[in-house]
Amino acid sequence: MDQLLKIKAYANREAVPIMQDEGCDFICNYIKEHQVKSVLEIGTAIGYSSIRFASQADDIYVTTIESDIDRYIKAKENFQACGLSDRITAINDDALTHDFGDAKFDLIFIDAAKAQYIKFFEKYKNNLSETGVIISDNLSFHGMVDDLSLTHNYSTKKLVKKIQKYVQFLKDNTEFHTDFFEIGDRISVSKAVH
């Protein structure tokens, strides 16, 4: 798909973080294997992963939320260019305050402000369908989560500690069972314990 290559080139040029291919492939396979029909993505950036997810089948609907207006506008352009505007709903809002009401999703993908992962998880777990999963990305944060000495930057260290806290939160969570995968920048898949 030419359009995806263009989006990747743009992300590279403008230093927009988009999902690593390995992690994106993993989620796309999950969507296919588990017949996921509805996805909520927290953190759109310029829409690369939304497009990949929606492209897995013609009956997959993606709702994606992005607080940055410029990225949101760019994402909408990309959805249009890929002919997916009818199946990808983009929302320009703060995911911590937005309300999806009783809407249910088969897959909730957290890939936004790393420091807010626990808040996102707690806020959106009630929007999961019965068999749904919450998938989180960047849990290794380029290896720093396992080895803090890889950075000497104070704000990066603070962020890494928040990711470590989130990983611990997932491990200790009794409502959800979480599997961790050493794929891309480390991914977790959390499923409600029924």
Side-chain angles (χ1 to χ4, degrees), residues 147-185:
D147 184 0
L148 250 184
S149 71
L150 291 175
T151 178
H152 299 293
N153 178 308
Y154 175 70
S155 58
T156 306
K157 274 192 169 159
K158 242 169 74 171
L159 182 60
V160 170
K161 282 182 177 156
K162 288 208 163 130
I163 300 172
Q164 287 172 334
K165 203 172 149 190
Y166 178 65
V167 169
Q168 201 51 53
F169 159 84
L170 292 177
K171 287 177 177 171
D172 296 342
N173 197 315
T174 52
E175 285 181 282
F176 284 81
H177 170 77
T178 299
D179 289 309
F180 295 90
F181 298 90
E182 295 300 324
I183 289 164
D185 199 22

Side-chain angles (χ1 to χ4, degrees), residues 47-136:
Y48 177 75
S49 41
S50 298
I51 291 166
R52 293 272 320 263
F53 301 161
S55 301
Q56 297 311 305
D58 294 336
D59 56 353
I60 295 171
Y61 290 83
V62 178
T63 302
T64 181
I65 184 164
E66 174 60 54
S67 58
D68 183 292
I69 185 71
D70 296 326
R71 287 184 179 179
Y72 161 79
I73 291 167
K74 188 71 190 159
K76 296 254 311 181
E77 284 171 14
N78 290 333
F79 301 152
Q80 188 78 44
C82 292
L84 288 168
S85 296
D86 57 334
R87 291 198 290 111
I88 302 178
T89 305
I91 297 164
N92 177 223
D93 200 2
D94 181 346
L96 286 174
T97 54
H98 191 81
D99 186 9
F100 284 102
D102 297 330
K104 297 286 184 204
F105 301 92
D106 299 329
L107 192 159
I108 296 177
F109 177 47
I110 303 177
D111 191 18
K114 310 290 169 259
Q116 308 296 343
Y117 271 24
I118 293 176
K119 284 182 183 167
F120 291 140
F121 192 102
E122 290 291 13
K123 178 171 168 55
Y124 289 108
K125 66 183 182 187
N126 296 327
N127 292 104
L128 261 190
S129 65
E130 187 72 16
T131 57
V133 292
I134 297 178
I135 296 185
S136 314

